[in-house]
Every structure is written in structure tokens, then in C-alpha cells.
Amino acid sequence: ETGPNFALAQQVEREMQMGPRTRKVNVFEPLEDAEELYLNYRRHPSFAIYCGGNEGSFGPVMGRKFYAKVKAMDLDRLVTEQCTMAQPFWKRTVPYDGDKAQVWRGRKVSPRNAPEYYQLSETDDFISYPCKVWPRGSANPPCPMVGHEYLNLSVKADTRLADRFTGLWNHPLDRAQRGNWLTRFGLDHATGDRLQDAQHALQAIWQKRGIESARKDPHCDGYYFWSVTDCIRANEIGWTHKLDTENPAFMAQGLYNSFFEEKANGQTAAGFAAFNSPVGVFVDAEPADFHLVSGERFAFDVLLANYGESPLSAARVKWTIVGADGAELASGGADAGFRALGGVEKIAAFAPQAPGIERAAAAKLIVTVCDGDRVAGSGSWPCWLFPRRTTGAGRDLAVTGSVRAAFASAFDGVRDSAADSAVRVVVADEGSPEIAAALARGQSVIEVGGQAGPLNIELGWWFLSGIVGAIFETDDPLLRYLPESKALSTLHFRLFKKGLRLPVNGFSNANLAAISEEGKGCFAHLGARADRRGGRHVFAYGLAIDPALPESLALMDGLVDRARMPLTAAERETANEAGSVAAKAGAGAAGAGADSNKGGAGRL
């Protein structure tokens, strides 16, 4: 009779006798709402927290009253005044050391650029942070941390479903509108549908990577995944509520489409469950995305988050690398002993050699944790396998500009002068006068550009950002030394930047081996054409071929091989004559300004 909830329990009994209360409509009564929530749902298994709203504020007076009301009523559950990454100014602590500095349960609140500033001890038990993937362990607030609208990763709505929307709600963008937009870049629905499938594939990669990142973080206490189905929201220019007329696309950020179906080439329910189940098996790896060179050592730790039904009494870890045909290429294991229920912990570490192969190949790493004969959990990750490379012969190459050092390191005997009689292939930066001069001499050219700038691999949060997907013609000789990946994947994550807006000067779309789609256009990254004067014009744009990475070297070898190939008779009949790919802006919607053929900066 002296417990904190005794008086409230008596009230509950009285209300049960009185029957349902009558309520006024549309009355803002947050304190009464919280009380009603407690009275009706206090024993519901999914009732975990009290939240006063989303991305707003009760203000400094009501915020504290709301928190105090709940704590007096229901001490054991967590409370947050607002679920938000956009806290009002009054909650933000000025970062100074003084008697008036705010504290959170005895600790000074961090500066404004740290996550702790979002909360106060009088209003919140946890912070709603972050909303996107973050470096593991980089956010360590003095309170629980829950990801806010986590992984709201936007791609474009699939217009192939438009005819299935009938009646009350229709798809906001029909098939013809999508086709008209693709036509501006010389593309048809067949290519557009491949790009749409590539968007779903990229979305699936980031869904997996995002949830694994949250579950691996020792300071992350949860996340609310955003969201299960597509909401199909207009692509706006910022938060303006005005449709982006340059690209009248609509965003789709869900795990499933609007009909609760798995997306074409996207994440599956079974795949999602593999990393979102109570028992999670994860890896921390070096290199992070398993680009493995034959015979070289690589390292990875195995992490376990065990929220299953029981501890593991005799855990054992087994890993295998499996080829595309299912054959086991390498394996290993280790005992991990007793593992209690609870948060993520490292349970094993491995440093094996990459399997020996003769040709680049796609594979996957599978890690399984067993408890005796019972499989407790497992996970899998793409592996990109490369043969050991030796330095190539380069006496017929002349290289100038930004990638000279990279080519000189990868090939012996690289020349400085393009006019040397032994030179068959000239490598030069986009727009260089060397390109036109070499083509006029009948030499082949590799034109490179877009090396600077950030990687273009992340999807936007709530908006269409830069990249939404990309496709690769894997049977093209330009890609012969890379493992097969028909869509943008972790194979390309260290390479992929901004492309050239389509169409590209001198190149038909049939000449292209890599095309990407962004929020504001379609772009080219790889292409090769026959030149009427006898040489071959190859370009690589927005692909980082300068780092000494196995995938960069494989791409470089493909460029050189393609440039060295003599023209066939059929190619000579269709050959054209053009200069640098940068000489003419693409005819996309950005217009014909000097830089309109470059990818836009996008927004993240």
C-alpha cells in the first residue's frame, strides 16, 4: 500500500468500474494521453517507452512536466519528450566550462556537434540518434541511444507497379512519365528497369550494412527501422513541398513495396531476418568489404549479439568462403566457449590466407555460430577474389596527367611523350589536347576524369541524393579482370564517384559498359568506341583507378587491354570521329552549361 503506483492502481480500479471515459475531440492533453496509455497498455509486451511526439517540442516547461508525470506514474519505462534529430534550441547546451553549464545526471553535456546535446536529464532517458550508418563506437552518450528513423534510404518508386494502384490511391508517376524521362538520356524502359533493379540491390546492401552497423556498435541500444513498406513520397527540392520538376521521381524507402512484396532484385524477408533476428552474427573485417588477393592474408573478427532464448554453453565458430558454384574455397573455425545472453561481443578472430585463384571471381564468406550441434546464428558477406598480379608491360603506353604515377607503378617502361613512335596508347586527363592529337595520329586513347571528389555510393535519407543505382555490362572487355557484378555493389564501393551526364560526346549508349542513375540524371562511367582515324577511344570517368587497390588495378588492366585491341572490320565500318568526352555537355536536363555533364553534388 506504500508503493509508488498504489494510488494509480486504485484509480485504475475505479475507472474499470465506471466504464470508458468520454473524451473531447482534438484536444491537446499530453499528460492525460500518457496516463491513458499507461492505464490501457501497461501490460502489453510491446510497450517499451513513452514518447511525446516526433521532431517537435513541448517546450522547457511542459517537457519537464511530461517527463515528471510519467516517472511518478510508471518509473520503470524509458521516456523521451520527443523522438527526434531536430531538438529545439532550448535543449542545446552552450559548450563552456562554468557553474551554469548544464549536466546530465552529474556529467557536463557535450558540445553541440556531439549526440549528447540532444537530451536533458529532466526530459529524456535516451537519445534518438543517429539516422544513418555511423563509425562504430564513435557516439558514446551517457544514456541509452536509439537510432532515429534509421535507414530511411531512398530510391525511386518502381513504375512497373503503377497499373496495380487502383481506386483510392494511385501511383503518382506512371510508366509513360518514367519513359519520357529516360528518353532525355537516350535510354529505354529495358535499361531503365535494369537501373530500377540496381536501385533495389543497392538499397538491400545498405539495409544490411546499416542494421549490422547498429547491432555491432557497443553503445547502440536499438533502432526503429524506417520503414517496412514504401511510402512513395514526392522528390522535393529540399523541404519545400515543391516537386522537383527536373526529375519528377517519387521516393521509395521501404523494405517491401506498397503491396508488402519483396522488391525485384532487392532485399528478401529471409535475407533481412538473417541480420535482424534475436541472435546476430557479424564481422569486423580488414579490408572492410573483402577484396581479397590470392595468397595474401586478411583478418576479421566475429561478433555475437545473443538475445535468443538461452546462453550458448559451448559455442563454436565456423567460417567458409564459397564460390559462385557453391564449392568451398577456404574454411576455418574456433571454439568460443560459454556465451551469455546480452549485447554484442567479440567471440573469435581469424587471419587466414585468401584462397588461390587464377581468375577474378565473386564469392561469399559464411560465418556460423553453433552451440553443440545446434546452429545458433549465421551471416554471410560478399567476397571479391583477385589473382595475384604482376607488373604489366608498358613500353607502348604514354601517360600524362593525374594518373601517371598510378600507371607507371602498374606497368614497366611507361613513356612520357605521346609522340614516341613506340607508343600505341595514350592516357590523358579529360579535355587534354593530347587526346585530339593522339587520335589524329591514329593512336588509341584512354581518357580519364572524375578522380577527385567523394565516393558516390550512399543513398539519401528522405530525399533522392546522388546515386540510386548503377549497372555494368560484365561481358564487355573493359570489365574482364573484375569479378562479375551486374549492379553497383560492395565490389565498387572504393571506386565509384560521379559520372558524365548522358549522352556522352562521340559515344552511343551501345558503346557504354557502366551507367548510373542519380536523383537528377543518368550518367556514364565506362565506354569504348572505334575512331575513324584508326585508333580506339576508351574513357573511364568517376572511377578511382589511381589507388593501388586490386579492383583499381583490375579496371586499369581492362582499360589498357581494350585500348590495345585492333579495330575489327565491322568496327571500322561504324567508326566515327570525335574529340574529348568533355568537349560537349550532355543533353540531359541540366542544360548545356560548361559543367552540366558532370554529376551533381546531390544531397545526403
Side-chain angles (χ1 to χ4, degrees), residues 16 36 125 198 217 220 285 360 367 435 540 571:
M16 290 176 67
E36 183 173 333
D125 289 322
D217 194 289
C220 181
V367 179
I435 294 166
E571 285 178 317

Side-chain angles (χ1 to χ4, degrees), residues 375-456:
V375 174
S378 65
S380 66
W381 297 267
C383 270
W384 309 106
L385 307 180
F386 296 84
R388 188 181 294 275
R389 183 187 184 276
T390 57
T391 304
R395 296 184 62 82
D396 62 342
L397 302 178
V399 185
T400 64
S402 61
V403 294
R404 172 166 174 75
F407 273 84
S409 176
F411 296 91
D412 284 334
V414 170
R415 312 280 177 137
D416 293 320
S417 173
D420 192 302
S421 59
V423 170
R424 295 171 53 200
V425 178
V426 177
V427 184
D429 289 338
E430 57 161 329
S432 168
E434 292 281 358
I435 294 166
L439 290 171
R441 290 192 293 266
Q443 295 168 313
S444 290
V445 165
I446 300 173
E447 185 174 0
V448 296
Q451 302 291 300
L455 292 171
N456 187 22

Side-chain angles (χ1 to χ4, degrees), residues 291 457 472 482 485 487-496:
H291 297 77
I457 58 173
F472 297 84
L482 281 168
S485 180
L488 181 62
S489 68
T490 59
L491 170 63
H492 316 100
F493 271 20
R494 300 190 292 187
L495 297 178
F496 209 78

Side-chain angles (χ1 to χ4, degrees), residues 53-56 80 82-88 92 112-119 127-132 134 139 145-150 224 461-462:
N54 178 59
E55 298 185 3
T80 187
Q82 296 284 312
C83 186
T84 181
M85 287 286 292
Q87 285 286 9
R92 297 177 178 174
R112 187 174 182 274
N113 60 354
E116 294 94 316
Y117 88 85
Y118 290 109
Q119 314 301 114
I127 72 166
S128 301
Y129 174 94
C131 61
K132 295 175 63 178
W134 70 98
M145 180 174 73
V146 179
H148 173 74
E149 293 186 11
Y150 189 54
Y224 39 105
W461 182 83
W462 266 120

Side-chain angles (χ1 to χ4, degrees), residues 530-535 565-576:
D531 191 86
R532 188 175 292 123
R533 291 157 294 189
M565 288 182 183
L567 301 184
T568 65
E571 285 178 317
R572 290 181 184 278
E573 290 181 3
T574 58
N576 62 348

Side-chain angles (χ1 to χ4, degrees), residues 12-13 122 135 157 210 252 312 372 382 413 421 429 433 470 479 524 537 553 574:
V12 171
E13 184 175 351
E122 302 93 341
L312 308 185
S421 59
D429 289 338
L479 298 167
H537 188 176
L553 293 168
T574 58

